[in-house]
Coordinates of all heavy atoms in Angstrom, one line a residue:
M135 N 9.6 8.0 -16.0 CA 8.8 7.4 -14.9 C 9.8 6.6 -14.0 O 10.7 6.0 -14.5 CB 7.8 6.5 -15.5 CG 6.9 5.8 -14.5 SD 5.6 4.8 -15.2 CE 4.2 5.8 -14.7
R136 N 9.5 6.6 -12.7 CA 10.3 5.9 -11.8 C 10.1 4.4 -11.9 O 9.0 4.0 -12.3 CB 10.0 6.3 -10.3 CG 10.3 7.7 -10.0 CD 10.1 8.0 -8.6 NE 10.4 9.4 -8.3 CZ 9.6 10.3 -7.8 NH1 8.4 9.9 -7.4 NH2 10.0 11.5 -7.6
S137 N 11.1 3.6 -11.6 CA 11.0 2.2 -11.6 C 10.0 1.7 -10.6 O 9.8 2.4 -9.5 CB 12.3 1.5 -11.4 OG 12.7 1.6 -10.0
P138 N 9.4 0.5 -10.8 CA 8.5 0.0 -9.8 C 9.1 -0.2 -8.4 O 8.5 0.0 -7.4 CB 8.0 -1.4 -10.4 CG 8.2 -1.2 -11.8 CD 9.4 -0.3 -12.0
A139 N 10.4 -0.6 -8.4 CA 11.1 -0.8 -7.1 C 11.2 0.5 -6.3 O 11.0 0.6 -5.1 CB 12.5 -1.4 -7.3
V140 N 11.5 1.6 -7.0 CA 11.6 2.9 -6.4 C 10.3 3.4 -5.9 O 10.1 3.9 -4.8 CB 12.3 4.0 -7.3 CG1 12.2 5.4 -6.8 CG2 13.7 3.6 -7.6
R141 N 9.3 3.2 -6.8 CA 7.9 3.6 -6.4 C 7.4 2.8 -5.2 O 6.8 3.4 -4.3 CB 6.9 3.4 -7.5 CG 7.1 4.3 -8.7 CD 6.2 4.0 -9.9 NE 4.8 4.0 -9.5 CZ 3.9 3.2 -10.1 NH1 4.2 2.4 -11.0 NH2 2.6 3.3 -9.7
A142 N 7.8 1.5 -5.2 CA 7.3 0.6 -4.0 C 8.0 1.1 -2.7 O 7.4 1.1 -1.7 CB 7.7 -0.8 -4.4
A143 N 9.3 1.4 -2.8 CA 10.0 1.8 -1.6 C 9.4 3.1 -1.0 O 9.2 3.3 0.2 CB 11.5 2.0 -1.9
R144 N 9.1 4.0 -1.9 CA 8.5 5.3 -1.5 C 7.1 5.1 -0.9 O 6.8 5.6 0.1 CB 8.4 6.3 -2.7 CG 7.9 7.6 -2.3 CD 8.0 8.6 -3.5 NE 7.6 9.9 -3.0 CZ 6.4 10.5 -3.3 NH1 5.5 9.8 -4.0 NH2 6.1 11.7 -2.9
L145 N 6.3 4.2 -1.6 CA 5.0 4.0 -1.1 C 5.0 3.2 0.2 O 4.2 3.6 1.2 CB 4.2 3.2 -2.1 CG 2.7 2.8 -1.8 CD1 1.9 4.0 -1.4 CD2 2.1 2.0 -2.9
A146 N 5.9 2.3 0.4 CA 6.0 1.5 1.7 C 6.3 2.5 2.8 O 5.8 2.4 3.9 CB 7.0 0.4 1.5
A147 N 7.3 3.4 2.5 CA 7.7 4.4 3.5 C 6.5 5.3 3.9 O 6.3 5.6 5.1 CB 8.8 5.2 3.1
L148 N 5.7 5.7 2.9 CA 4.6 6.6 3.2 C 3.5 5.8 4.0 O 2.9 6.4 5.0 CB 3.9 7.1 1.9 CG 4.7 8.2 1.2 CD1 4.1 8.4 -0.2 CD2 4.7 9.5 1.9
L149 N 3.2 4.6 3.6 CA 2.2 3.8 4.3 C 2.7 3.5 5.8 O 1.9 3.6 6.7 CB 1.9 2.5 3.6 CG 1.3 2.7 2.3 CD1 1.1 1.3 1.6 CD2 -0.1 3.3 2.4
S150 N 3.9 3.2 6.0 CA 4.4 3.0 7.3 C 4.3 4.3 8.2 O 3.9 4.2 9.3 CB 5.9 2.5 7.3 OG 6.0 1.2 6.7
K151 N 4.7 5.4 7.6 CA 4.6 6.6 8.3 C 3.2 7.0 8.7 O 2.9 7.4 9.8 CB 5.3 7.8 7.5 CG 5.2 9.1 8.2 CD 5.9 10.2 7.3 CE 5.8 11.5 8.0 NZ 6.3 12.6 7.2
T152 N 2.3 6.8 7.8 CA 0.9 7.2 8.0 C 0.2 6.3 9.0 O -0.6 6.7 9.8 CB 0.1 7.1 6.6 OG1 0.8 8.0 5.7 CG2 -1.3 7.5 6.8
T153 N 0.5 5.0 8.9 CA -0.2 4.0 9.8 C 0.5 3.8 11.1 O -0.1 3.3 12.1 CB -0.4 2.7 9.1 OG1 0.9 2.1 8.8 CG2 -1.2 2.8 7.8
G154 N 1.8 4.0 11.2 CA 2.6 3.7 12.4 C 2.9 2.2 12.4 O 3.4 1.7 13.4
H155 N 2.7 1.4 11.4 CA 3.0 0.0 11.3 C 4.0 -0.2 10.1 O 4.0 0.5 9.1 CB 1.7 -0.8 11.0 CG 0.7 -0.8 12.1 ND1 0.8 -1.5 13.3 CD2 -0.4 0.0 12.2 CE1 -0.2 -1.2 14.0 NE2 -1.0 -0.3 13.4
Q156 N 4.8 -1.2 10.3 CA 5.8 -1.6 9.3 C 5.1 -2.2 8.0 O 4.3 -3.1 8.2 CB 6.8 -2.6 9.8 CG 7.9 -2.9 8.8 CD 8.8 -1.7 8.5 OE1 9.1 -0.9 9.3 NE2 9.2 -1.6 7.2
A157 N 5.3 -1.6 6.9 CA 4.8 -2.2 5.6 C 5.6 -3.4 5.2 O 6.8 -3.4 5.3 CB 4.8 -1.1 4.5
L158 N 4.9 -4.4 4.7 CA 5.5 -5.6 4.1 C 5.5 -5.5 2.6 O 4.4 -5.4 2.0 CB 4.8 -6.8 4.6 CG 5.2 -8.1 4.0 CD1 6.6 -8.5 4.4 CD2 4.2 -9.2 4.4
T159 N 6.7 -5.6 2.0 CA 6.8 -5.5 0.5 C 7.2 -6.9 0.0 O 8.1 -7.5 0.5 CB 7.8 -4.5 0.1 OG1 7.5 -3.2 0.6 CG2 7.9 -4.4 -1.4
T160 N 6.4 -7.4 -1.0 CA 6.6 -8.7 -1.6 C 6.9 -8.5 -3.1 O 6.1 -7.9 -3.8 CB 5.4 -9.6 -1.4 OG1 5.1 -9.7 0.0 CG2 5.7 -11.0 -1.9
D161 N 8.0 -8.9 -3.5 CA 8.4 -8.8 -4.9 C 8.0 -10.1 -5.7 O 8.6 -11.1 -5.4 CB 9.9 -8.6 -5.1 CG 10.3 -8.1 -6.4 OD1 9.6 -8.2 -7.4 OD2 11.5 -7.6 -6.5
E162 N 7.0 -10.0 -6.5 CA 6.5 -11.1 -7.2 C 6.9 -11.0 -8.7 O 7.5 -10.0 -9.1 CB 4.9 -11.2 -7.1 CG 4.5 -11.4 -5.6 CD 3.0 -11.4 -5.4 OE1 2.3 -11.5 -6.4 OE2 2.6 -11.3 -4.3
A163 N 6.6 -12.0 -9.5 CA 7.0 -12.1 -10.9 C 6.6 -10.9 -11.7 O 7.4 -10.2 -12.4 CB 6.5 -13.3 -11.6
E164 N 5.3 -10.5 -11.6 CA 4.8 -9.4 -12.5 C 4.4 -8.1 -11.7 O 4.0 -7.2 -12.3 CB 3.5 -9.9 -13.2 CG 3.8 -11.1 -14.1 CD 2.6 -11.6 -14.9 OE1 1.5 -11.0 -14.7 OE2 2.7 -12.6 -15.6
L165 N 4.6 -8.2 -10.4 CA 4.2 -7.0 -9.6 C 4.9 -7.0 -8.3 O 5.5 -7.9 -7.8 CB 2.7 -6.9 -9.4 CG 2.0 -8.1 -8.7 CD1 2.0 -8.0 -7.2 CD2 0.5 -8.2 -9.2
I166 N 4.9 -5.8 -7.6 CA 5.3 -5.6 -6.3 C 4.1 -5.3 -5.4 O 3.3 -4.5 -5.8 CB 6.4 -4.5 -6.2 CG1 7.6 -4.8 -7.1 CG2 6.8 -4.3 -4.7 CD1 8.6 -3.7 -7.2
R167 N 3.9 -6.1 -4.3 CA 2.8 -5.9 -3.5 C 3.3 -5.4 -2.1 O 4.3 -5.8 -1.6 CB 2.1 -7.3 -3.2 CG 0.9 -7.2 -2.4 CD 0.2 -8.6 -2.2 NE -0.9 -8.6 -1.3 CZ -2.2 -8.4 -1.7 NH1 -2.5 -8.2 -2.9 NH2 -3.1 -8.4 -0.8
I168 N 2.5 -4.4 -1.6 CA 2.8 -3.8 -0.3 C 1.6 -3.9 0.5 O 0.5 -3.6 0.1 CB 3.2 -2.3 -0.5 CG1 4.4 -2.2 -1.5 CG2 3.5 -1.7 0.8 CD1 4.4 -0.8 -2.1
E169 N 1.7 -4.4 1.8 CA 0.6 -4.5 2.7 C 1.0 -3.8 4.0 O 2.2 -3.9 4.4 CB 0.3 -6.0 3.0 CG -0.1 -6.8 1.8 CD -0.4 -8.2 2.2 OE1 -1.2 -8.4 3.1 OE2 0.1 -9.1 1.5
V170 N 0.0 -3.3 4.7 CA 0.3 -2.7 6.0 C -1.0 -2.7 6.8 O -2.1 -2.6 6.3 CB 0.8 -1.2 5.9 CG1 -0.2 -0.3 5.3 CG2 1.4 -0.7 7.2
A171 N -0.8 -3.0 8.1 CA -1.9 -3.0 9.0 C -2.3 -1.6 9.3 O -1.5 -0.7 9.3 CB -1.5 -3.7 10.3
I172 N -3.6 -1.4 9.6 CA -4.1 -0.1 10.0 C -4.9 -0.3 11.3 O -5.6 -1.3 11.5 CB -5.0 0.6 9.0 CG1 -6.2 -0.3 8.6 CG2 -4.1 0.9 7.7 CD1 -7.1 0.5 7.7
S173 N -4.7 0.7 12.2 CA -5.4 0.7 13.4 C -6.6 1.6 13.2 O -6.5 2.7 12.7 CB -4.5 1.3 14.6 OG -3.4 0.5 14.7
E174 N -7.8 1.2 13.6 CA -9.0 1.9 13.4 C -9.5 2.5 14.7 O -9.2 1.9 15.8 CB -10.1 1.0 12.8 CG -9.7 0.5 11.4 CD -10.7 -0.3 10.8 OE1 -10.9 -1.5 11.2 OE2 -11.4 0.2 9.9
P175 N -10.1 3.6 14.8 CA -10.4 4.4 13.6 C -9.2 5.3 13.3 O -8.4 5.7 14.2 CB -11.6 5.3 14.1 CG -11.4 5.4 15.6 CD -10.7 4.1 16.0
L176 N -9.1 5.7 12.0 CA -8.1 6.6 11.6 C -8.6 8.0 11.7 O -9.8 8.3 11.5 CB -7.7 6.4 10.1 CG -7.0 5.1 9.7 CD1 -6.9 5.0 8.2 CD2 -5.6 5.1 10.4
S177 N -7.7 8.9 12.1 CA -8.1 10.3 12.1 C -8.4 10.8 10.7 O -7.9 10.1 9.7 CB -7.0 11.2 12.7 OG -5.9 11.3 11.8
E178 N -9.1 11.9 10.5 CA -9.3 12.4 9.2 C -8.0 12.7 8.4 O -7.9 12.4 7.2 CB -10.2 13.6 9.2 CG -10.6 14.1 7.9 CD -11.6 15.3 8.0 OE1 -12.3 15.5 9.0 OE2 -11.7 16.1 7.0
T179 N -7.1 13.2 9.1 CA -5.8 13.6 8.5 C -5.1 12.3 8.0 O -4.6 12.2 6.9 CB -4.9 14.3 9.5 OG1 -5.6 15.5 9.9 CG2 -3.5 14.7 8.9
A180 N -5.0 11.3 8.9 CA -4.4 10.0 8.5 C -5.1 9.3 7.4 O -4.5 8.8 6.5 CB -4.3 9.1 9.7
H181 N -6.4 9.4 7.4 CA -7.2 8.7 6.4 C -6.9 9.4 5.0 O -6.7 8.7 4.0 CB -8.7 8.9 6.7 CG -9.6 8.1 5.8 ND1 -10.5 8.7 4.9 CD2 -9.8 6.8 5.6 CE1 -11.1 7.8 4.2 NE2 -10.7 6.7 4.6
T182 N -6.9 10.7 5.0 CA -6.6 11.4 3.8 C -5.2 11.1 3.3 O -4.9 10.9 2.1 CB -6.7 13.0 4.0 OG1 -8.1 13.2 4.4 CG2 -6.4 13.8 2.8
A183 N -4.2 11.1 4.2 CA -2.8 10.8 3.8 C -2.7 9.3 3.3 O -2.0 9.1 2.3 CB -1.9 11.0 5.0
L184 N -3.4 8.4 3.9 CA -3.4 7.0 3.5 C -4.0 6.9 2.0 O -3.4 6.3 1.2 CB -4.3 6.2 4.4 CG -4.3 4.7 4.1 CD1 -3.0 4.0 4.3 CD2 -5.4 4.0 5.0
L185 N -5.1 7.6 1.8 CA -5.7 7.5 0.4 C -4.8 8.2 -0.6 O -4.7 7.7 -1.7 CB -7.1 8.1 0.4 CG -8.2 7.3 1.2 CD1 -9.5 8.1 1.2 CD2 -8.3 5.9 0.6
T186 N -4.2 9.3 -0.2 CA -3.3 10.0 -1.1 C -2.1 9.1 -1.5 O -1.7 9.0 -2.7 CB -2.8 11.3 -0.5 OG1 -3.9 12.1 -0.2 CG2 -1.8 12.0 -1.4
A187 N -1.5 8.4 -0.5 CA -0.4 7.5 -0.8 C -0.9 6.3 -1.7 O -0.2 5.9 -2.6 CB 0.1 6.9 0.5
L188 N -2.0 5.7 -1.4 CA -2.5 4.6 -2.1 C -2.8 4.9 -3.6 O -2.7 4.1 -4.5 CB -3.8 4.0 -1.5 CG -3.5 3.3 -0.2 CD1 -4.9 2.9 0.5 CD2 -2.7 2.0 -0.4
R189 N -3.2 6.2 -3.8 CA -3.5 6.6 -5.2 C -2.3 6.5 -6.1 O -2.4 6.5 -7.3 CB -4.0 8.0 -5.2 CG -5.4 8.1 -4.7 CD -6.0 9.5 -4.8 NE -5.9 10.0 -6.2 CZ -5.8 11.3 -6.5 NH1 -5.8 12.2 -5.6 NH2 -5.8 11.6 -7.8
T190 N -1.0 6.4 -5.6 CA 0.2 6.3 -6.4 C 0.4 4.9 -6.9 O 1.2 4.7 -7.7 CB 1.4 6.8 -5.6 OG1 1.7 5.8 -4.5 CG2 1.2 8.2 -5.1
A191 N -0.4 3.9 -6.4 CA -0.3 2.5 -6.8 C -1.1 2.3 -8.0 O -2.0 3.0 -8.4 CB -0.8 1.6 -5.7
D192 N -0.8 1.1 -8.7 CA -1.6 0.7 -9.8 C -3.0 0.2 -9.4 O -4.0 0.4 -10.1 CB -0.9 -0.3 -10.7 CG 0.4 0.3 -11.3 OD1 0.4 1.5 -11.7 OD2 1.4 -0.4 -11.3
H193 N -3.0 -0.5 -8.3 CA -4.2 -1.1 -7.7 C -4.0 -1.0 -6.2 O -2.9 -1.1 -5.7 CB -4.4 -2.5 -8.1 CG -4.6 -2.7 -9.6 ND1 -3.6 -3.1 -10.4 CD2 -5.7 -2.6 -10.4 CE1 -4.1 -3.1 -11.6 NE2 -5.4 -2.8 -11.6
F194 N -5.1 -0.9 -5.5 CA -5.1 -0.9 -4.0 C -6.4 -1.4 -3.5 O -7.4 -1.4 -4.2 CB -4.7 0.4 -3.4 CG -5.6 1.5 -3.7 CD1 -6.7 1.8 -2.8 CD2 -5.5 2.4 -4.7 CE1 -7.6 2.8 -3.0 CE2 -6.3 3.5 -5.0 CZ -7.4 3.7 -4.1
G195 N -6.4 -1.8 -2.2 CA -7.6 -2.3 -1.6 C -7.5 -2.3 -0.1 O -6.5 -2.0 0.5
F196 N -8.6 -2.7 0.5 CA -8.7 -2.8 2.0 C -9.3 -4.2 2.3 O -10.2 -4.7 1.6 CB -9.7 -1.8 2.5 CG -10.1 -1.9 3.9 CD1 -9.3 -1.4 4.9 CD2 -11.3 -2.6 4.2 CE1 -9.7 -1.6 6.3 CE2 -11.7 -2.8 5.6 CZ -10.9 -2.2 6.6
E197 N -8.8 -4.9 3.3 CA -9.3 -6.2 3.8 C -9.3 -6.2 5.3 O -8.5 -5.6 6.0 CB -8.4 -7.3 3.3 CG -8.4 -7.4 1.8 CD -7.4 -8.5 1.3 OE1 -6.4 -8.8 1.9 OE2 -7.7 -9.1 0.2
R198 N -10.3 -7.0 5.8 CA -10.3 -7.3 7.2 C -10.3 -8.8 7.3 O -11.2 -9.5 6.8 CB -11.6 -6.7 7.8 CG -11.7 -6.9 9.3 CD -13.0 -6.3 9.9 NE -13.3 -5.0 9.5 CZ -12.7 -3.9 10.0 NH1 -11.9 -4.0 11.0 NH2 -13.1 -2.7 9.6
V199 N -9.3 -9.3 8.0 CA -9.1 -10.7 8.2 C -9.0 -11.0 9.7 O -8.1 -10.4 10.4 CB -7.9 -11.3 7.5 CG1 -7.7 -12.8 7.7 CG2 -8.0 -11.0 6.0
D200 N -9.8 -11.9 10.2 CA -9.8 -12.2 11.7 C -9.9 -10.9 12.6 O -9.1 -10.8 13.5 CB -8.6 -13.0 12.0 CG -8.6 -14.4 11.3 OD1 -9.7 -14.9 11.1 OD2 -7.5 -14.9 11.0
G201 N -10.6 -9.9 12.1 CA -10.8 -8.7 12.9 C -9.7 -7.7 12.8 O -9.7 -6.7 13.4
R202 N -8.7 -8.0 11.9 CA -7.6 -7.1 11.7 C -7.7 -6.5 10.3 O -7.9 -7.1 9.4 CB -6.2 -7.8 11.8 CG -6.0 -8.4 13.2 CD -4.6 -9.0 13.3 NE -4.5 -9.5 14.6 CZ -3.7 -10.5 15.0 NH1 -3.0 -11.1 14.0 NH2 -3.6 -10.9 16.2
A203 N -7.5 -5.2 10.3 CA -7.7 -4.4 9.1 C -6.3 -4.1 8.5 O -5.3 -3.9 9.2 CB -8.4 -3.1 9.3
H204 N -6.2 -4.2 7.2 CA -5.0 -3.8 6.5 C -5.4 -3.3 5.1 O -6.4 -3.6 4.5 CB -4.0 -4.9 6.5 CG -4.3 -6.1 5.6 ND1 -5.1 -7.1 6.0 CD2 -4.0 -6.4 4.3 CE1 -5.2 -8.0 5.0 NE2 -4.5 -7.6 4.0
V205 N -4.5 -2.5 4.5 CA -4.6 -2.1 3.1 C -3.4 -2.7 2.4 O -2.4 -3.1 2.9 CB -4.5 -0.6 3.0 CG1 -5.8 0.1 3.6 CG2 -3.3 0.0 3.6
W206 N -3.7 -2.9 1.1 CA -2.7 -3.4 0.2 C -2.6 -2.5 -1.1 O -3.6 -1.9 -1.4 CB -2.9 -4.9 -0.2 CG -4.3 -5.1 -0.8 CD1 -5.4 -5.4 -0.2 CD2 -4.6 -5.0 -2.2 NE1 -6.4 -5.5 -1.1 CE2 -6.0 -5.2 -2.4 CE3 -3.8 -4.6 -3.4 CZ2 -6.6 -5.2 -3.6 CZ3 -4.5 -4.6 -4.6 CH2 -5.8 -4.9 -4.7
A207 N -1.5 -2.6 -1.7 CA -1.3 -1.9 -3.0 C -0.3 -2.7 -3.9 O 0.5 -3.4 -3.4 CB -0.6 -0.5 -2.7
T208 N -0.6 -2.6 -5.2 CA 0.3 -3.3 -6.1 C 0.8 -2.3 -7.1 O 0.1 -1.4 -7.5 CB -0.4 -4.5 -6.8 OG1 -1.5 -4.1 -7.5 CG2 -0.8 -5.6 -5.8
L209 N 2.0 -2.6 -7.6 CA 2.7 -1.8 -8.7 C 3.1 -2.8 -9.7 O 3.8 -3.8 -9.4 CB 3.9 -1.1 -8.1 CG 3.6 -0.1 -7.0 CD1 4.9 0.3 -6.3 CD2 2.8 1.0 -7.4
K210 N 2.7 -2.6 -10.9 CA 3.0 -3.5 -12.0 C 4.5 -3.3 -12.4 O 5.0 -2.2 -12.5 CB 2.2 -3.2 -13.2 CG 0.7 -3.5 -13.0 CD -0.1 -3.1 -14.3 CE -1.6 -3.2 -14.1 NZ -2.3 -2.7 -15.3
K211 N 5.1 -4.4 -12.8 CA 6.5 -4.4 -13.3 C 6.3 -4.4 -14.9 O 5.4 -5.0 -15.4 CB 7.3 -5.6 -12.9 CG 7.6 -5.7 -11.5 CD 8.4 -7.0 -11.2 CE 8.8 -7.1 -9.8 NZ 9.6 -8.4 -9.6
P212 N 7.2 -3.7 -15.5 CA 7.2 -3.7 -17.0 C 7.5 -5.1 -17.5 O 8.3 -5.8 -16.9 CB 8.3 -2.7 -17.4 CG 9.2 -2.6 -16.3 CD 8.3 -2.9 -15.0
K213 N 6.8 -5.4 -18.6 CA 7.1 -6.8 -19.3 C 8.5 -6.7 -19.9 O 8.8 -5.8 -20.6 CB 6.0 -7.1 -20.3 CG 4.7 -7.2 -19.6 CD 3.6 -7.7 -20.5 CE 2.3 -7.7 -19.7 NZ 1.4 -8.7 -19.9
A214 N 9.2 -7.8 -19.7 CA 10.5 -7.9 -20.3 C 10.5 -8.2 -21.7 O 9.6 -8.7 -22.3 CB 11.3 -9.0 -19.5

């Protein structure tokens, strides 16, 4: 299995390519979090690609804050 850092880099690249926005990756103690803004509405193709990419994460979600939409994903780090 690939390391969380490698998985995160791949996922961030996919999310950036799919959304056209730069993904922000945050390395936390127990996980790596990736967030990216999305412009709505998404085309059906972009929506499918986005969900396919997000499925590679351990957890993911969607939030709207102050009228801006973004998706997030987390990847768990192995316990030391």
